[in-house]
């Protein structure tokens, strides 16, 4: 059997926050990679900025099978008593430098690996004090978990068993660097002592100490720990149950939520909802106050158009307020008619309607990208694309934002049977419009499928608002759009071939299992397409985009989007500037991490067809007065 070592490491602000390791057959790798990625993105320390997944084939004959350590449960009510216990265990095993080892365990922080300590002298022996020694290439003979969900006990005893099997190792001390995980362990003499309350909750303590016999060959030991493939035989391990392990101290959900909310707020990332008591028109009422609104994605102002409202009301009176079920059971009424109209308007063979644009991206990617597909996703893509990639069984390669040279290199080195390149056509925060012909040419040269998300291009670019791809004369394999932006309604759609549409109607999970859109919204989308055909609102929008670009010192550009970011940088300053504009009656929210990278906060200004010359002039005065232009 062929075996691979798959490892995940993730970092935030240059600091390691999460890791995982498995030895697995090739068929398990896609699911493990997806699971490890999800784990990195759902850590209490924050959302990882960098996730590295490495996969290496290993020689099965080189794998060493070792016995699991014997678990021993201890009972400690404080970090002080835990520290005393660890010291006593080390002293009883004959380790002279027990006090020094324990002192280092409670003072060293920030190591990516473990410190190696001489048992007699307490001298530190690892060659890289900033990094320490990493333990890698290990797993259980039969892993107790089907994925990489957090199982602290099994993860810890598997790793400790490999360490204990290494030449020269006498003992190990481990304090988790998770500030709220207060359990740890000491491994001494083939026993694994589980130690509750090893440190106080919320503390920054966290390190690993390996204690070795005098004269140990550190170079050989390091090579064993980092490179020797080891599988741990868990057959002698008693079941982890209420009898063999104490029940964890139960925290209320409110307590955990409050802690996470406080940590989020401490980083300046907390958000609150703003309530509109008016439609999203240029002069809107938000939280009881009147503002000039420059943040809506209702680019054409169609959400309040009489034709859309009348179409929605008529359909609601005829068919009701709800669709009654999923499309494949009872939920199809006028939906199929709209799909034909969408396909015709955008000049595709077929269209599949979803309840949201998020669902359209997520389910389409998951349905299309099987295990024989490699996805190539732009680093700046929308969360719905990122989550769709996670849900797919495919291998995922993220290429640097808009770097088609890097994409070309990644496609060239791929050995996947099928390749799927996915990108936003207009990036929702920056407003950047991609080089569609350049991306399409790159895909064509590598026989890759192209999928574009044109949520912010439809209604803004292209003939009669047909979008970014139409503007550049390119037809991708899959084009995803949404009715919730320029069309002024809700819902998403996928434009594609008839065969792909059939596949989505049968296998896209949010199509199959979600209740379909209400008839009123479906009818309103059809009315919005009629407005696009008329061309009047689109012409006004282009004129307003040109006017605001001139105000910001930007040149006229027929391919410019309706999104115009005002870069600020610092998150706190972005919030201050947004608040200062709000005091002057201009509503432009600050966009900050995790929506954009740390240190790249901005004000996201959007233009609509309903802004008039006076609105734009007022915007210019206030931005200039605050030194933003």
């Amino acid at each position: 059997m062929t075996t691979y070592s798959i490892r995940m490491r993730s970092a935030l602000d240059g600091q390691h926050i999460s890791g995982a390791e498995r030895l697995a057959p090739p068929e398990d790798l896609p699911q493990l990679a997806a699971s490890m990625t999800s784990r990195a993105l759902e850590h209490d320390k924050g959302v990882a900025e960098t996730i590295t997944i490495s996969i290496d084939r290993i020689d099965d004959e080189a794998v060493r099978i070792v016995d699991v350590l014997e678990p021993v449960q201890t009972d400690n009510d404080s970090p002080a008593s835990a520290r005393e216990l660890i010291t006593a265990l080390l002293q009883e095993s004959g380790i002279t430098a027990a006090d020094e080892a324990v002192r280092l365990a409670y003072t060293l922080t920030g190591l990516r690996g473990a410190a190696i300590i001489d048992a007699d002298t307490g001298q530190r022996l690892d060659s890289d004090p900033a990094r320490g020694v990493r333990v890698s290439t290990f797993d259980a003979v039969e892993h107790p978990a089907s994925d990489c969900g957090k199982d602290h006990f099994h993860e810890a005893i598997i790793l400790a068993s490999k360490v204990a099997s290494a030449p020269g190792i006498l003992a190990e001390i481990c304090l988790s660097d998770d500030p709220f995980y207060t359990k740890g362990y000491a491994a001494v003499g083939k026993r694994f002592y589980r130690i509750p309350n090893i440190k106080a909750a919320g503390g920054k303590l966290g390190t690993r100490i390996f204690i070795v016999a005098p004269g140990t060959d550190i170079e050989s030991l390091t090579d064993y720990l980092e490179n020797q493939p080891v599988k741990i035989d868990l057959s002698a391990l008693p079941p982890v149950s209420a009898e063999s392990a104490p029940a964890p101290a139960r925290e209320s959900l409110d307590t955990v939520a409050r802690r996470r909310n406080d940590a989020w707020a401490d980083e300046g990332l907390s958000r609150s909802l703003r309530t509109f008591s008016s439609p999203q028109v240029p002069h809107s009422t938000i939280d009881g106050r009147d503002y000039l609104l420059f943040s809506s994605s209702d680019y054409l102002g169609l959400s309040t158009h009489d034709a859309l409202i009348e179409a929605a009301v008529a359909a609601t009176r005829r068919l009701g307020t709800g669709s009654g079920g999923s499309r494949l059971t009872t939920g199809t009424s006028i939906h199929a008619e709209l799909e034909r109209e969408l396909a015709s308007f955008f000049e595709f063979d077929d269209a599949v309607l979803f309840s949201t644009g998020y669902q359209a991206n997520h389910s389409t990617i998951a349905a299309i990208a099987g295990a024989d597909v490699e996805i190539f996703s732009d680093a700046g893509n929308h969360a719905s694309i990122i989550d769709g990639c996670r849900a797919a069984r495919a291998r995922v390669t993220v290429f640097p934002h808009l770097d088609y040279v890097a994409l070309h290199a990644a496609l060239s080195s791929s050995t996947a049977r099928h390749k799927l390149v996915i990108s936003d056509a207009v990036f929702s925060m920056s407003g950047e419009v991609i080089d569609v012909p350049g991306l399409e040419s790159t895909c064509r040269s590598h026989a890759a499928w192209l999928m574009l998300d044109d949520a912010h291009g439809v209604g803004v670019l292209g003939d009669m608002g047909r979008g970014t791809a139409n503007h550049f004369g390119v037809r991708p394999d899959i084009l995803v759009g949404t009715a919730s932006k320029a069309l002024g309604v809700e819902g998403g759609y996928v434009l594609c071939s008839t065969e792909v549409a059939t596949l989505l109607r049968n296998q896209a999970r949010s199509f199959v299992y979600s209740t379909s859109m209400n008839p009123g919204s479906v009818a309103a989308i059809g009315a919005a397409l009629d407005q696009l055909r008329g061309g009047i609102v689109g012409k006004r929008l282009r004129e307003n985009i040109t006017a605001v670009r001139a105000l910001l010192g930007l040149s006229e550009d027929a391919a410019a989007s309706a999104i115009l970011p005002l870069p600020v940088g610092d998150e706190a300053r972005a919030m201050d500037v947004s608040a200062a504009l709000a005091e002057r009656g201009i509503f432009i929210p600050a966009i900050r991490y995790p929506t954009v990278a740390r240190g790249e906060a901005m004000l996201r200004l959007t233009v609509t067809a309903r802004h008039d010359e006076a609105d734009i002039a007022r915007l210019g005065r206030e931005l200039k007065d605050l030194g933003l232009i």
Side-chain angles (χ1 to χ4, degrees):
M1 180 183 71
T2 302
T3 303
Y4 289 83
S5 170
I6 177 170
R7 296 176 296 279
M8 179 275 290
R9 301 289 182 262
S10 65
L12 176 62
D13 290 338
Q15 300 296 314
H16 172 81
I17 62 170
S18 182
E21 171 111 11
R22 292 290 299 277
L23 301 183
E27 60 267 22
D28 289 353
L29 296 178
Q31 181 59 42
L32 286 171
S35 180
M36 288 178 176
T37 301
S38 295
R39 172 168 167 171
L41 293 169
E42 296 169 2
H43 201 280
D44 284 346
K45 294 181 183 178
V47 179
E49 291 178 336
T50 302
I51 303 171
T52 301
I53 292 184
S54 58
I55 302 175
D56 298 293
R57 182 173 177 173
I58 63 175
D59 182 358
D60 285 349
E61 295 181 357
V63 177
R64 181 177 175 185
I65 307 297
V66 302
D67 293 331
V68 68
L69 296 176
E70 176 189 352
V72 178
Q73 183 62 47
T74 65
D75 184 14
N76 304 283
D77 57 7
S78 70
S81 63
R83 186 166 178 164
E84 291 174 359
L85 170 65
I86 297 170
T87 304
L89 290 171
L90 297 181
Q91 290 173 339
E92 289 169 7
S93 69
I95 294 174
T96 305
D99 288 335
E100 177 61 11
V102 174
R103 185 191 71 79
L104 287 172
Y106 279 87
T107 55
L108 278 176
T109 58
L111 283 184
R112 296 288 300 276
I116 300 178
I117 305 298
D118 185 284
D120 280 357
T121 66
Q123 179 183 357
R124 189 168 172 188
L125 304 175
D126 44 303
S127 60
D128 186 348
R131 173 181 180 271
V133 176
R134 296 297 297 269
V135 183
S136 187
T137 323
F138 61 93
D139 199 355
V141 173
E142 292 185 8
H143 201 279
S146 60
D147 55 23
C148 291
K150 199 71 168 172
D151 177 352
H152 289 286
F153 170 66
H154 283 104
E155 285 186 350
I157 200 167
I158 290 169
L159 184 148
S161 296
K162 173 172 181 178
V163 173
S165 72
I169 291 286
L170 299 178
E172 176 188 358
I173 308 170
C174 177
L175 284 70
S176 170
D177 61 0
D178 185 327
F180 299 107
Y181 190 72
T182 59
K183 294 182 179 65
Y185 68 83
V188 187
K190 303 301 180 183
R191 288 186 171 183
F192 178 88
Y193 294 89
R194 306 179 72 190
I195 304 175
N197 301 309
I198 198 169
K199 66 176 186 178
K204 294 185 177 181
L205 290 175
T207 196
R208 192 181 300 273
I209 301 293
F210 298 157
I211 304 171
V212 299
T216 296
D217 184 336
I218 301 303
E219 184 176 349
S220 297
L221 172 61
T222 301
D223 181 64
Y224 181 95
L225 293 172
E226 296 188 345
N227 302 310
Q228 171 63 47
V230 168
K231 285 193 173 183
I232 314 303
D233 182 0
L234 300 181
S235 60
L237 189 66
V240 180
S241 64
E243 290 74 32
S244 62
R250 185 183 185 278
E251 288 185 289
S252 72
L253 179 58
D254 282 355
T255 299
V256 174
R258 184 181 303 110
R259 184 167 67 231
R260 293 179 63 178
N261 289 338
D262 290 345
W264 201 246
D266 288 344
E267 294 186 57
L269 302 177
S270 185
R271 290 163 167 77
S272 58
L273 301 177
R274 307 298 299 268
T275 302
F276 282 73
S277 53
S278 69
Q280 286 200 17
V281 291
H283 296 271
S284 292
T285 303
I286 309 169
D287 295 334
R289 180 178 173 183
D290 293 336
Y291 290 95
L292 175 56
L293 182 66
F294 275 96
S295 66
S296 176
S297 294
D298 183 14
Y299 302 125
L300 296 176
L302 292 180
S303 67
T304 56
H305 197 284
D306 288 344
L308 274 71
I309 294 172
E310 290 168 5
V313 170
T316 301
R317 291 191 184 282
R318 182 164 66 93
L319 296 168
T321 57
S323 64
S326 76
R327 290 286 304 280
L328 295 177
T329 55
T330 61
T332 296
S333 56
I334 56 176
H335 303 74
E337 178 184 345
L338 176 61
E339 287 175 332
R340 290 190 291 273
E341 191 174 355
L342 286 164
S344 174
F345 179 79
F346 288 103
E347 300 174 337
F348 275 76
D349 297 338
D350 208 340
V352 182
L353 190 62
F354 289 82
S355 295
T356 66
Y358 181 97
Q359 287 186 359
N361 268 328
H362 187 280
S363 285
T364 297
I365 296 168
I368 295 295
D372 59 350
V373 175
E374 181 171 0
I375 298 172
F376 298 84
S377 178
D378 190 294
N381 278 342
H382 188 266
S384 58
I385 294 176
I386 295 170
D387 291 350
C389 291
R390 292 182 198 164
R393 292 176 294 152
R395 177 182 177 185
V396 180
T397 295
V398 178
F399 62 90
H401 181 47
L402 297 177
D403 189 342
Y404 299 153
V405 174
L407 172 61
H408 170 79
L411 288 167
S412 298
S413 62
S414 174
T415 58
R417 182 179 180 184
H418 304 296
K419 304 167 188 175
L420 173 62
V421 175
I422 309 176
S423 177
D424 283 0
V426 176
F427 286 92
S428 58
M429 293 298 109
S430 66
E432 296 164 297
V433 178
I434 70 169
D435 175 11
V436 179
L439 180 57
E440 193 268 344
S441 176
T442 300
C443 292
R444 189 172 60 248
S445 66
H446 292 282
W449 306 326
L450 176 60
M451 175 176 169
L452 295 180
D453 174 5
D454 205 18
H456 295 273
V458 169
V460 180
L461 298 171
D463 178 40
M464 292 193 293
R466 288 192 175 97
T468 312
N470 174 272
H471 177 87
F472 289 104
V474 171
R475 178 171 158 168
D477 297 280
I478 299 172
L479 183 64
V480 177
T482 178
S484 62
K485 306 297 189 281
L487 301 189
V489 195
E490 62 177 351
Y493 52 85
V494 177
L495 304 163
C496 53
S497 70
T498 301
E499 289 296 337
V500 172
T502 300
L503 176 66
L504 295 180
R505 291 187 181 108
N506 283 273
Q507 297 186 30
R509 295 179 68 84
S510 59
F511 181 93
V512 176
Y513 297 109
S514 287
T515 297
S516 62
M517 291 175 60
N518 69 81
S521 292
V522 175
I525 295 171
L529 295 181
D530 289 339
Q531 295 302 312
L532 294 189
R533 292 187 187 95
I536 297 174
V537 289
K539 182 175 182 293
R540 285 202 300 268
L541 175 61
R542 296 308 313 170
E543 291 171 349
N544 284 349
I545 291 172
T546 298
V548 176
R549 286 180 65 84
L551 182 151
L552 299 178
L554 301 172
S555 61
E556 185 173 351
D557 184 354
S561 75
I563 303 165
L564 295 165
L566 298 172
V568 177
D570 179 72
E571 281 77 7
R573 182 168 182 268
M575 293 296 292
D576 291 343
V577 172
S578 177
L581 282 168
E583 284 298 313
R584 296 161 182 257
I586 307 286
F587 191 86
I588 307 177
I591 305 298
R592 54 214 161 103
Y593 177 84
T595 307
V596 295
R598 289 183 185 274
E600 296 183 13
M602 67 175 73
L603 301 187
R604 181 179 180 271
L605 187 159
T606 60
V607 187
T608 75
R610 295 193 59 175
H611 287 112
D612 60 24
E613 291 182 5
D615 296 332
I616 294 172
R618 179 182 169 192
L619 171 70
R621 289 194 301 271
E622 301 298 354
L623 292 178
K624 186 174 182 179
D625 197 39
L626 289 173
L628 293 172
I629 59 173

